[in-house]
Amino acid sequence: KTYTELARIDKEPEGTYPVDPFLNISSGGRMYATWLVSNDYDTISGVHFAYSDAGTDFRGHKSLVSYSKTVEGKPVDIQERWMLPAIVPFGERGVVIVYPNYETVDVDGQDYKAFIMRYRVSTDGGDTFSEPKTLTPWSELQSAIRQNAKNRKADEAYPYYIQILPWICTDPDGGVH
C-alpha cells in the first residue's frame, strides 16, 4: 500500500550503468533482482544479480554473465532490446535466471555464430548458481543451426542462428520448462 524506504539494488561503479531491472519474489518472501549493465549507454556488457529478504538491503551481488561485443572478431548487436534476462523463483530458496548470449558453437566440426538462450539455477537462495545450460536440447540446437546454415544466403545481412522469445517456468521441484 505504501512505500516507506528507498533501496538501491545495484552497486555499479562510476562509468557503469544499470539498465532494465527485473524483480521477482519467492514463496518464502526473498526478493530477487537482476539487471543489465552498460558501460556506454548503448550496448550491454553483462547481467548482474542480487537478493534481499526485507526489500531494503540487497546483498549477494554478482555478475552472472559477461558479454563480449564481438564474435570471431566481428561486432555483434548487444543493445538492450536483445539482451533481456528473466528471473523465476521456485519454492522458498530456488531461483532460475534465463538470458541470451552470443556464442561460437561447433556443429559437425564447423564453427557457427549463434544467439543462444541459457539458464542457470540456484537452490540456495542465490548464493551460488549452476553452470550455464541451454534451454533447448543440444541435438535440437544442432539441427536448427544446420538448417539455418543450409538456407542462409552468402550476402545475408545477419548471418547468425538466433534463438529468441523463450518462456520459462519451474515446477515445484525446480524443474525448468
Side-chain angles (χ1 to χ4, degrees):
K1 292 181 178 181
T2 61
Y3 296 97
T4 57
E5 293 182 48
L6 292 176
R8 182 162 181 171
I9 296 171
D10 74 290
K11 292 185 177 183
E12 304 310 324
E14 189 67 31
T16 303
Y17 314 99
V19 182
D20 293 326
F22 190 89
L23 299 172
N24 214 327
I25 299 174
S26 73
S27 62
R30 179 166 277 193
M31 183 179 292
Y32 297 102
T34 187
W35 61 96
L36 300 171
V37 179
S38 177
N39 297 330
D40 60 11
Y41 284 113
D42 183 40
T43 58
I44 301 304
S45 57
V47 177
H48 288 193
F49 170 87
Y51 60 84
S52 175
D53 290 320
T56 56
D57 63 324
F58 281 81
R59 60 190 188 280
H61 291 82
K62 59 183 60 66
S63 173
L64 293 178
V65 184
S66 293
Y67 293 123
S68 172
K69 296 183 190 251
T70 62
V71 171
E72 296 179 357
K74 296 179 182 173
V76 289
D77 185 357
I78 53 172
Q79 294 179 345
E80 62 84 23
R81 69 180 176 269
W82 302 119
M83 307 310 286
L84 296 173
I87 195 163
V88 180
F90 61 93
E92 289 191 25
R93 308 267 300 162
V95 63
V96 178
I97 183 168
V98 61
Y99 59 90
N101 197 13
Y102 283 100
E103 301 178 24
T104 299
V105 295
D106 179 298
V107 177
D108 302 327
Q110 184 172 350
D111 286 341
Y112 292 93
K113 294 176 237 171
F115 189 68
I116 303 288
M117 297 306 301
R118 295 278 185 177
Y119 72 96
R120 295 178 73 180
V121 179
S122 174
T123 56
D124 58 12
D127 289 326
T128 62
F129 280 85
S130 68
E131 289 299 312
K133 300 173 184 166
T134 60
L135 288 171
T136 306
W138 184 241
S139 60
E140 191 175 322
L141 282 173
Q142 286 177 313
S143 175
I145 290 170
R146 281 185 198 104
Q147 189 67 31
N148 176 266
K150 179 178 143 189
N151 295 330
R152 186 174 40 211
K153 295 178 176 84
D155 63 344
E156 199 167 42
Y158 206 79
Y160 305 112
Y161 168 74
I162 301 176
Q163 180 185 37
I164 58 173
L165 297 177
W167 298 96
I168 186 170
C169 65
T170 56
D171 60 35
D173 298 320
V176 178
H177 306 280

